[in-house]
Amino acid sequence: MSEETMVAVGEIEAEKNDFEVLHSKSPVFYPVYERKSDLKHQTHYCPGCGHGIVHKLVAEAVQDLSLQDRTILVSPVGCAVFAYYYLDVGNVQVAHGRAPAAATGLARACPGQVVISYQGDGDLAAIGTAEIVHAANRGEKICVIFVNNAIYGMTGGQMAPTTLVGQTSTTSPWGRRPANEGYPIHMCELLATLEAPVYIERVALCDNKNIMKARRAIRKALEIQRDGGGFAFVEVLSPCPTIWGLDPVVARNWVAEKMVPVFPLNVFRDRKPEPLPNGGPKQRSVAEVLELAAAADDEAFPVNHPSHSFQTLTVKVAGSGGQGALLLGQLLAEMGLREGLEVSWLPSYGPEMRSGSAHCHVCVSKERIGSPLISHPDVLIAMNEISLRKFAPQVGPHGLILYNREKLPENFVAPEARVVCVPASEIADKLGSTKAANMVLLGALLEETGCLGADTALRVIEQKVKKVELLKTNREALEAGRQFVDTEVWTGAESQPDGFAE
Ligand SMILES: Cc1ncc(C[n+]2csc(CCOP(=O)(O)OP(=O)(O)O)c2C)c(N)n1
Ligand code: SF4
């Protein structure tokens, strides 16, 4: 074991002792928790913190129910952010408050998996109030473990929605006053007003008896998920000795004496999930939803697997709203799919529907794509001057810039990348629709780079554009873009900084 690692406390090697081991670490915990050298003898939780106990209860329930290979834990922003360092299950960490939304996606995309949304009170009852209410209201098949310690722990003790009346915090140093800060929110009671949840219980980590009740509640919530049940919610009143400024034992007692009277322990809902008519909505695969399966079966349009000259090609298409920059990116991604590549398309646009700036990141690759975000594209298609000035510096010396004008603007310092100026809007105008400028640029890109097949482009356009008139113009525009590169750019062409061939 390296110096950077530590063996968790409680790992007992039974064979070295002559007594029976009754307590041992659940195999659902990783055997080693990796931490930096000076911290290697401790977990990242403070002594007496409730999160450690809840982790243990979750690990034991997952183990007892044989769910380790079926469990996906969604960890929050808050002190429990590093839950994935401890629990050896599927792990996803999400943005503040978004755990129920992410859990919804996971549970729906992976039926048969047990999805746990693990959240603190700031995460669940402040920034994430909408997510939890709507996930509960939809009756998502997830188990929510809500660790209520009446404060924001991670950020140093700001008031939470659950902070008690009179309790001091860094943002209510005078103590919470209902007239100014309102009353503590009771999440169990609030969610119990909804129809869909099947199980809602509040428990407390104030003594061993109550910890055993918490154990049963967590187990039950997971059993419901195992059996394909519905929305299960367990609120755990939990000590935060550090922020409360209390000794761990006193903090435990504080849970019993101060929190339990405000947040009564109770089973607020325990009902059998009602079977959905016809077994609920039909589960469809992603390929089916995106009509890829049907497309793959389309005899008139078989998936084509030409050999591509690139491993990964990244393209940024930028212009103003209404110019079709986003659509051009979508077409490229669709073409990549049709040619058997991995693809991603990420749009970015402002609030204006027309004339605001809009751009998209497109990646087509022979490998799985790590991130759809592209900081340094191989190709920039700049549909207007603003986009050219903004994004050209991102393109490397071996990259390509296609610019939608006859020549580069005055006083524009040409980058090292190859620049091809294509008066796409003018060409499209002559064909009857300025809107087809994006197709002219698509044609130019295909001719200039040979990255994807022009046949594939035609097929994709035919599939996407239903109006006969528009389809005709788009076909012509695609061809005109190719012709332009063939006749105006390639003829004796060395790349010129102003975009013209000599
Ligand atoms: C969008 C966003 N807003 C604010 C923060 C700062 N932040 C980090 S943790 C946290 C509150 C955590 O409190 P809680 O959910 O009660 O968890 P605890 O740390 O007490 O377990 C806040 C406000 C953030 N990380 N992201
Ligand atoms: S600050 Fe509170 S919630 Fe966070 S680890 Fe420490 S005791 Fe636990």
Side-chain angles (χ1 to χ4, degrees):
M1 187 183 306
S2 82
E3 276 193 9
E4 301 295 311
T5 58
M6 61 168 278
V7 177
V9 178
E11 189 171 87
I12 301 167
E13 292 173 57
E15 66 274 15
K16 288 192 189 152
N17 302 308
D18 52 4
F19 51 83
E20 192 192 351
V21 176
L22 290 179
H23 297 284
S24 61
K25 196 169 81 169
S26 163
V28 173
F29 282 126
Y30 287 111
V32 171
Y33 312 138
E34 307 237 351
R35 297 215 69 202
K36 293 195 191 95
S37 52
D38 49 339
L39 298 170
K40 66 183 176 178
H41 296 301
Q42 57 192 58
T43 72
H44 82 285
Y45 295 117
C46 310
C49 174
H51 281 304
I53 300 171
V54 180
H55 281 22
K56 183 172 190 285
L57 300 181
V58 171
E60 288 175 355
V62 168
Q63 180 195 353
D64 292 350
L65 300 171
S66 305
L67 293 175
Q68 186 167 10
D69 293 339
R70 282 176 58 190
T71 298
I72 306 172
L73 180 82
V74 185
S75 49
V77 168
C79 280
V81 64
F82 293 137
Y84 51 78
Y85 280 149
Y86 303 100
L87 291 146
D88 184 5
V89 293
N91 280 291
V92 177
Q93 195 277 320
V94 296
H96 208 11
R98 305 299 178 260
T104 297
L106 288 163
R108 289 183 177 208
C110 313
Q113 304 299 302
V114 167
V115 182
I116 304 174
S117 175
Y118 186 111
Q119 302 181 258
D121 43 355
D123 192 77
L124 181 140
I127 195 168
T129 327
E131 279 77 3
I132 191 62
V133 169
H134 290 290
N137 194 42
R138 293 190 303 265
E140 295 298 341
K141 293 180 179 174
I142 59 175
C143 161
V144 180
I145 299 189
F146 171 42
V147 180
N148 175 2
N149 55 20
I151 203 86
Y152 287 10
M154 179 190 235
T155 41
Q158 294 83 359
M159 192 185 76
T162 47
T163 297
L164 308 187
V165 171
Q167 185 183 344
T168 56
S169 72
T170 57
T171 47
S172 58
W174 45 82
R176 183 178 194 153
R177 299 164 305 177
N180 209 43
E181 290 87 38
Y183 290 92
I185 291 186
H186 296 81
M187 288 309 297
C188 284
E189 288 83 342
L190 195 150
L191 297 181
T193 63
L194 305 172
E195 288 297 320
V198 295
Y199 177 56
I200 302 176
E201 179 165 1
R202 183 183 289 123
V203 293
L205 305 179
C206 46
D207 52 42
N208 292 350
K209 195 172 144 211
N210 275 288
I211 290 174
M212 284 304 110
K213 283 190 179 169
R215 188 174 195 269
R216 282 195 290 277
I218 289 174
R219 203 189 154 99
K220 176 156 185 167
L222 288 178
E223 271 170 353
I224 291 169
Q225 305 314 310
R226 179 197 61 191
D227 301 339
F231 185 85
F233 185 87
V234 180
E235 175 173 346
V236 186
L237 304 183
S238 172
C240 173
T242 302
I243 301 295
W244 295 352
L246 299 175
D247 173 88
V249 178
V250 181
R252 248 190 176 203
N253 294 338
W254 200 86
V255 173
E257 288 159 18
K258 303 288 183 191
M259 289 186 78
V260 172
V262 177
F263 298 108
L265 307 185
N266 196 6
V267 178
F268 296 87
R269 174 75 53 83
D270 187 3
R271 71 158 74 119
K272 272 210 154 54
E274 281 172 22
L276 294 164
N278 306 322
K282 185 176 164 260
Q283 194 79 24
R284 296 193 299 157
S285 70
V286 174
E288 207 184 325
V289 172
L290 297 179
E291 295 176 359
L292 297 178
D297 292 343
D298 183 353
E299 278 183 19
F301 194 171
V303 174
N304 193 5
H305 291 273
S307 60
H308 297 100
S309 57
F310 55 84
Q311 193 66 15
T312 296
L313 179 77
T314 55
V315 183
K316 194 168 271 186
V317 191
S320 58
Q323 277 192 305
L326 304 188
L327 175 64
L328 173 45
Q330 276 178 342
L331 294 179
L332 280 170
E334 182 80 31
M335 287 168 65
L337 269 182
R338 293 296 192 160
E339 296 195 1
L341 297 165
E342 300 281 332
V343 303
S344 66
W345 173 79
L346 182 72
S348 170
Y349 47 86
E352 310 98 322
M353 292 296 281
R354 288 278 139 190
S355 308
S357 66
H359 70 268
C360 62
H361 309 232
V362 181
C363 183
V364 288
S365 178
K366 290 178 185 165
E367 300 164 345
R368 294 192 73 176
I369 297 168
S371 164
L373 198 68
I374 294 160
S375 313
H376 297 288
D378 300 315
V379 178
L380 167 68
I381 302 179
M383 299 190 72
N384 60 17
E385 186 178 333
I386 299 174
S387 306
L388 176 77
R389 290 189 186 276
K390 184 166 178 192
F391 296 115
Q394 296 179 355
V395 184
H398 303 296
L400 168 70
I401 298 175
L402 284 180
Y403 178 48
N404 175 23
R405 285 289 178 279
E406 264 187 4
K407 58 179 183 175
L408 291 174
E410 299 280 325
N411 74 9
F412 177 75
V413 183
E416 285 182 68
R418 175 170 162 76
V419 181
V420 175
C421 290
V422 182
S425 295
E426 285 171 36
I427 296 174
D429 248 351
K430 286 182 192 148
L431 294 172
S433 170
T434 323
K435 281 188 173 176
N438 55 356
M439 297 299 140
V440 177
L441 288 162
L442 176 59
L445 171 74
L446 301 181
E447 196 64 14
E448 173 67 20
T449 63
C451 60
L452 298 164
D455 275 6
T456 316
L458 262 181
R459 294 290 187 79
V460 168
I461 292 170
E462 279 163 9
Q463 197 192 34
K464 294 273 168 206
V465 182
K466 302 290 178 215
K467 277 193 188 160
V468 180
E469 265 308 287
L470 218 55
L471 181 59
K472 181 173 167 286
T473 316
N474 279 330
R475 276 202 198 113
E476 289 170 358
L478 185 78
E479 187 51 30
R482 296 181 63 199
Q483 285 294 327
F484 183 86
V485 168
D486 239 0
T487 54
E488 306 288 325
V489 180
W490 277 9
T491 324
E494 277 298 302
S495 170
Q496 297 301 303
D498 66 358
F500 280 119
E502 255 181 347

